[in-house]
């Protein structure tokens, strides 16, 4: 009786073995894990250095508020800008100013993440 059912299933196209194979072929595995986007305020140069290390080592993009650093320590703010330029040149990462009206908010990404400007 089982043989008759197997023959009928094969003729109709509902073979259990073929269905299992089809399900295995449709599994999608992502090439990389999901990124975490870190939001932070750089209150000093150490915070900024930590952010750059997170981008380099963990491959996490960061949205950073630089207004505290600019207001409280203009020298460190200028040095952070130079470090950011060196980071972009060395790693190929990207940085874009998101907000300029009183707050310097930037997004910095590792080279694996491309920012599209529209």
């Amino acid at each position: 009786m089982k043989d008759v059912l197997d023959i009928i299933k094969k003729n109709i196209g509902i073979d259990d073995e073929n269905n299992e194979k089809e399900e295995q072929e449709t599994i999608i595995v992502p090439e990389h894990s999901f990124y975490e986007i870190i939001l932070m305020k750089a209150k000093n140069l150490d915070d900024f250095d930590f952010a750059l290390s997170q981008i380099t080592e963990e491959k996490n993009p960061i949205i950073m508020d630089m207004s505290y650093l600019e207001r409280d320590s203009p020298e460190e703010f200028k040095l952070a800008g130079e470090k950011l330029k060196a980071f972009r040149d060395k790693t190929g990462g990207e940085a874009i100013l998101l907000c300029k009206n009183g707050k310097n908010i930037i997004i910095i990404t590792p080279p694996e993440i491309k920012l599209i400007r529209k």
Side-chain angles (χ1 to χ4, degrees):
M1 179 81 164
K2 185 176 182 209
D3 294 334
V4 173
L5 287 175
D6 289 340
I7 292 171
I8 292 173
K9 285 181 181 179
K10 285 183 183 180
N11 288 337
I12 296 175
I14 54 173
D15 184 19
D16 290 336
E17 292 176 7
N18 287 340
N19 286 341
E20 289 177 13
K21 289 180 183 176
E22 287 178 17
E23 288 178 16
Q24 291 175 352
E25 292 175 354
T26 59
I27 294 174
I28 298 172
V29 179
E31 293 180 13
H32 54 77
S33 61
F34 293 100
Y35 295 104
E36 294 178 354
I37 299 175
I38 299 172
L39 306 172
M40 69 178 294
K41 297 176 183 178
K43 295 183 179 176
N44 55 44
L45 202 54
D46 290 336
D47 290 346
F48 186 80
D49 290 339
F50 173 75
L52 290 183
S53 71
Q54 282 294 302
I55 295 166
T56 305
E57 296 168 11
E58 302 294 328
K59 308 295 185 207
N60 292 325
I62 293 184
I63 298 173
M64 189 177 335
D65 183 354
M66 300 285 290
S67 59
Y68 292 102
L69 191 60
E70 181 185 25
R71 184 184 65 228
D72 296 340
S73 180
E75 297 103 20
E76 286 188 0
F77 180 74
K78 185 176 179 182
L79 187 57
E82 292 170 6
K83 286 186 175 191
L84 182 58
K85 184 176 184 328
F87 167 80
R88 291 174 61 197
D89 293 340
K90 180 181 173 187
T91 66
E94 294 189 52
I96 295 177
L97 182 64
L98 297 176
C99 180
K100 192 176 180 181
N101 300 338
K103 291 188 176 186
N104 286 316
I105 299 175
I106 59 174
I107 182 168
I108 310 168
T109 63
E112 295 83 10
I113 300 175
K114 297 296 177 200
L115 297 173
I116 299 172
R117 296 165 180 91
K118 288 190 174 188

